[in-house]
Amino acid sequence: MSEIGEPILKVNGLEKSFGSNVILCGIDLEAAAGETVAVIGSSGSGKSTMLRCLNLLERPDSGEIFFRGKNVLSGEIPVSQYRAKVGMVFQQFNLFGNLTAFENCVVAQRTVLRRERAEAERNALEYLSRVGMYEYRNARPRQLSGGQKQRVAIARALAMDPEIILFDEPTSALDPEMVGEVLRVMRDLAGSGLTMIVVTHEMQFAREVSDRVIFMDGGLIAEEGTPDVIFGSPSVARTREFLSRVIQQE
């Protein structure tokens, strides 16, 4: 686990509904520099919606999001600038199918950050190497396995120089034998001091790699604490029920 610094991201009272369906009921959350936060919970508990609200892919109905002390929702920091600092890795990779792995890692740097091509290409190659995908740099997504696509997606996020990366179930679309290669990359990132919020159903990863575990239930954070506390002696009955069920399935 990495050394943890001051809070980068702070969320107060985040609420989100779709019509009459209430998804988030008032989320309070912090993420500190260098911290890996694992978010666990049953399907439908609001985990992915929370991440999408944090990255403003969904606009919260109410609440506050502070990035380095600036209120994002009130416009103290431009959304484009905020999004450039808060990367996201999706379940389904979201790569451009007509571009190579290398080009996928270049294009956002050029269009969003307005980087010179030479710098963008240098960064792309650096991060493809870091995730073990340099030799596949000229392959298109259809030529790659799910695990390889996800590693390219991680390289693309890293190439934007984010201060935080949000991971939304990054291994859920992968065959079991491909999960390990993605989790190895994420372990390395956690050890390097990158701030990460990871929605995951990989309990071993949450237990061994995260600094803090959040258990969500019914659109709320029902319990949070160190991995030792959450997995060893959770105080909330719903946490105990959830962990008992998923650990039996592992």
Side-chain angles (χ1 to χ4, degrees):
M1 295 184 186
S2 53
E3 185 175 337
I4 297 173
E6 293 296 313
I8 295 178
L9 188 69
K10 186 172 183 178
V11 176
N12 297 324
L14 210 62
E15 297 183 357
K16 180 65 181 179
S17 298
F18 295 103
S20 61
N21 189 16
V22 179
I23 307 297
L24 301 178
C25 308
I27 297 291
D28 297 327
L29 172 71
E30 286 189 4
E35 186 177 26
T36 297
V37 180
V39 184
I40 63 173
S42 300
S43 179
S45 60
K47 306 183 302 297
S48 291
T49 299
M50 180 185 75
L51 278 201
R52 292 176 68 83
C53 285
L54 292 183
N55 201 37
L56 301 186
L57 293 170
E58 299 286 354
R59 190 81 181 183
D61 297 328
S62 60
E64 299 173 310
I65 300 174
F66 293 93
F67 179 77
R68 293 204 174 277
K70 294 182 178 179
N71 191 324
V72 178
L73 296 177
S74 70
E76 289 182 13
I77 177 173
V79 170
S80 59
Q81 185 179 333
Y82 171 68
R83 278 210 183 118
K85 294 297 185 182
V86 182
M88 190 154 179
V89 174
F90 300 87
Q91 295 179 40
Q92 299 292 343
F93 326 125
N94 288 23
L95 298 175
F96 295 111
N98 62 325
L99 301 181
T100 65
F102 173 66
E103 291 164 340
N104 264 282
C105 293
V106 169
V107 65
Q109 297 183 69
R110 297 276 290 145
T111 56
V112 177
L113 301 181
R114 306 293 183 190
R115 278 187 175 146
E116 295 293 330
R117 175 164 290 280
E119 182 184 3
E121 291 182 349
R122 190 165 57 247
N123 282 342
L125 293 175
E126 175 187 342
Y127 288 112
L128 285 169
S129 296
R130 184 168 173 180
V131 302
M133 288 299 295
Y134 179 83
E135 65 182 289
Y136 298 97
R137 62 194 179 279
N138 294 321
R140 297 185 190 278
R142 67 177 179 275
Q143 299 170 300
L144 301 174
S145 71
Q148 290 170 333
K149 290 176 191 175
Q150 195 60 289
R151 284 188 283 158
V152 172
I154 293 171
R156 178 180 61 182
L158 290 170
M160 299 294 286
D161 294 334
E163 294 192 43
I164 304 174
I165 296 187
L166 311 175
F167 292 84
D168 186 12
E169 296 275 17
T171 61
S172 66
L174 304 181
D175 293 332
E177 64 268 23
M178 297 175 184
V179 170
E181 63 188 68
V182 173
L183 291 181
R184 277 193 295 275
V185 170
M186 293 174 64
R187 286 173 186 269
D188 289 345
L189 293 177
S192 75
L194 179 67
T195 307
M196 299 160 56
I197 301 177
V198 184
V199 169
T200 185
H201 62 273
E202 299 290 342
M203 294 300 116
Q204 187 173 354
F205 176 87
R207 186 186 294 124
E208 295 177 0
V209 179
S210 63
D211 299 291
R212 185 158 46 97
V213 179
I214 286 172
F215 172 66
M216 286 188 66
D217 184 56
L220 291 166
I221 293 176
E223 186 168 5
E224 64 179 298
T226 65
D228 286 347
V229 168
I230 297 300
F231 288 99
S233 55
S235 60
V236 175
R238 276 292 296 122
T239 314
R240 293 194 294 271
E241 292 167 14
F242 170 79
L243 290 173
S244 175
R245 187 173 70 252
V246 297
I247 289 171
Q248 282 180 355
Q249 294 170 355
E250 286 186 339

